[in-house]
Amino acid sequence: MVTVSVHLTLHLPGVRSLKEKRAIVRSLVSRLRGRLDVSAAEVGVQDKLQRAEIGFAVVSGDLATARGLADEAQRFADHELIGRAEIINRVVDESILRQD
């Protein structure tokens, strides 16, 4: 089993209210879940209006498939956030669990 997790830190420069922030974050998380079938959630920095952290994970039987879907999800997030937010940091972690 292979997992690839991605942690995105976002800068939301135009956000002036918690309602605006939530709209951007919830929309991205919902679209990642619905379109790409990945597990996704807001994972931190909930107390700052112009920052957000989103995490998503992919589980697969092989590394190539997991990496491919994680890459696709990152490109999707980049596209969805154009004009709304900027990804200022990304951390990708791969884990391989071998069963004998």
Side-chain angles (χ1 to χ4, degrees), residues 3-86:
T3 61
V4 177
S5 62
V6 179
H7 181 265
L8 304 175
T9 303
L10 310 178
H11 174 62
L12 303 109
V15 170
R16 301 286 178 245
S17 71
L18 185 58
K19 186 176 181 179
E20 288 179 76
K21 177 183 176 178
R22 292 275 180 249
I24 293 168
V25 170
R26 285 185 180 166
S27 173
L28 179 58
V29 167
S30 175
R31 287 175 177 262
L32 282 166
R33 288 177 180 165
R35 295 241 177 121
L36 297 171
D37 199 25
V38 298
S39 296
E42 183 177 10
V43 295
V45 193
Q46 296 175 345
D47 59 339
K48 295 186 180 179
L49 284 181
Q50 296 187 341
R51 290 274 169 134
E53 292 181 4
I54 295 175
F56 59 87
V58 175
V59 179
S60 179
D62 67 280
L63 185 57
T65 301
R67 279 183 181 162
L69 186 52
D71 289 345
E72 183 179 352
Q74 288 182 75
R75 286 190 301 275
F76 180 80
D78 288 337
H79 184 267
E80 286 294 309
L81 294 171
I82 291 174
R84 301 169 68 191
E86 174 187 1

